[in-house]
Amino acid sequence: ICWTVEDKEQLHDHSYIKQAAARLKQGETIAFPTETVYGLGADATSSEAVKKVFEAKGRPADNPLIVHVGSRDVIEQYVRYISDKANQLIEAFWPGSLTIILPLKGGFSDNVTAGLTTVGVRMPDHPVAIALLQEAGIPVAAPSANSSGKPSPTSHTHVLQDLNGKINGVVNGGQTGVGVESTVIDCTLETPVILRPGGVTKADIEAVIGPVDVAPALVETFDSPRSPGMKYKHYAPDCPVWVVQGDTKSMCKVLTELRDDGYSVGLMVSDELASELGEQTELKLGSCEDLNQITSELYSTLRKIDELDYDIVLAESFIKEGIGEALMNRLEKAASKII
Ligand code: TXA
Ligand code: MG
């Protein structure tokens, strides 16, 4: 079933929110929009329901899911404690794109946490997600609603491309806003550690709780990463993507050389760089004045690459500041080369 949200007022009164919530409570899998990406939700207390999420996505069983809640009281019975810093982060950023890792007490199905002693929780900042979670009143385990190995979905069309026939329903709430997944921060340690950069930046966090650490990029042989998701290969289009650092001249040089060698080259670049190069491109990301916009276009643009027929795609490199950290983290994971 695909329910389409027509107006975002009074969502609680809409029958599809009631239907979708009832189905979640019955152990079905429902995809829904959040402000970051679409999630595939299931009752976090039911191992049968959660199993369906892993199966639909083809997700490795040792990669834990984030639990979503519509109000903070929902988590209190499942965690051992919420540290002062975690509390400050909740106050400052929920609802929002920050997943907080807390010490687990119990009550969630084991497959949600993949046997860890901690659990990641977040309250999404999206009216549809909030209405659904509040209506259901249960904690909802929800990874991104893509097939494992594909870019996370930023529209319900992406969800259906990957999961049609494998899930019980999807609520179509239009395009998501942030466009990359939430920031994940481990708050079980004295100095919290950012495990995944996302919509809430390191600077945003440090302004609230002071200095935090950032998990080092995962090395291939590291067999016990803090965040299990870090060890899996991320999405890379079939067509090689090279991130080109430097100015317009560097991009121009690489482009010319590849074309001279007979390659058909796609350009995944900002409006500004496209016009400086005097090139048209189907993979334009928007104005580089607005990195939020570029970030929100990244995953749909990566999906587009596979539909086009390039030998190689050259991607612009953006400044790793603010949301640029999350943007470049995902772009570099999709790239086969950084030059
Ligand atoms: O924005 C988001 O976070 C989206 C939307 C749907 O909320 N969800 C999402 O979920 O990105 P997923 O499953 O694709 O990514 C969850 C990440 C994984 O890298 C996982 O390893 C990590 O969070 N994670 C979950 N529980 C953890 C835990 N207890 N300790 C460390 N990392 C954890
Ligand atoms: Mg994911």
Side-chain angles (χ1 to χ4, degrees), residues 31-270:
F32 59 93
T34 80
E35 83 283 20
T36 58
V37 299
Y38 275 70
L40 178 61
D43 179 352
T45 65
S46 158
S47 79
E48 281 302 302
V50 171
K51 197 170 145 221
K52 291 183 199 164
V53 169
F54 280 92
E55 283 171 0
K57 282 181 59 81
R59 183 179 177 102
D62 64 350
N63 194 5
L65 308 183
I66 293 171
V67 175
H68 295 65
V69 294
S71 79
R72 77 163 273 172
D73 342 322
V74 178
I75 54 175
E76 261 147 39
Q77 57 176 302
Y78 301 100
V79 300
R80 284 202 285 123
Y81 59 86
I82 301 177
S83 69
D84 290 345
K85 284 178 184 167
N87 257 316
Q88 288 170 285
L89 292 175
I90 289 173
E91 284 292 316
F93 300 111
W94 280 12
S97 318
L98 185 67
T99 294
I100 304 182
I101 308 292
L102 296 170
L104 176 70
K105 181 154 71 183
F108 295 130
S109 161
D110 284 343
N111 46 5
V112 170
T113 52
L116 297 177
T117 57
T118 57
V119 62
V121 284
R122 106 172 172 99
M123 188 192 299
D125 186 14
H126 192 289
V128 174
I130 289 289
L132 181 60
L133 291 165
Q134 289 180 352
E135 183 69 33
I138 51 169
V140 171
S144 49
N146 52 303
S147 298
S148 262
K150 286 278 173 190
S152 293
T154 53
S155 75
H156 89 290
T157 328
H158 300 157
V159 176
L160 293 175
Q161 274 171 9
D162 286 8
L163 302 179
N164 198 8
K166 299 180 175 173
I167 61 178
N168 297 114
V170 54
V171 186
N172 168 12
Q175 252 208 287
T176 61
V178 179
V180 294
E181 305 85 346
S182 62
T183 305
V184 177
I185 187 164
D186 186 344
C187 282
T188 63
L189 303 154
E190 181 48 37
T191 302
V193 183
I194 295 179
L195 301 178
R196 176 174 79 179
V200 174
T201 67
K202 179 168 185 265
D204 295 336
I205 291 172
E206 291 191 327
V208 176
I209 57 166
V212 296
D213 289 332
V214 176
L218 186 70
V219 278
E220 220 55 59
T221 51
F222 194 42
D223 58 12
S224 177
R226 281 239 194 69
S227 184
M230 299 196 313
K231 79 177 178 206
Y232 291 104
K233 202 173 139 27
H234 273 255
Y235 176 69
D238 293 333
C239 163
V241 174
W242 293 2
V243 173
V244 182
Q245 295 174 321
D247 55 9
T248 311
K249 269 198 208 133
S250 338
M251 183 61 94
C252 197
K253 184 163 172 282
V254 185
L255 179 61
T256 311
E257 283 171 7
L258 286 168
R259 283 195 178 146
D260 286 349
D261 289 343
Y263 291 106
S264 125
V265 185
L267 290 168
M268 188 162 71
V269 297
S270 63

Side-chain angles (χ1 to χ4, degrees), residues 4-24:
T4 300
V5 177
E6 262 138 29
D7 73 282
K8 291 191 178 147
E9 303 296 311
Q10 308 288 324
L11 279 165
H12 286 274
D13 296 342
H14 289 315
S15 68
Y16 57 81
I17 292 291
K18 293 199 166 74
Q19 288 172 42
R23 283 169 171 263
L24 276 175

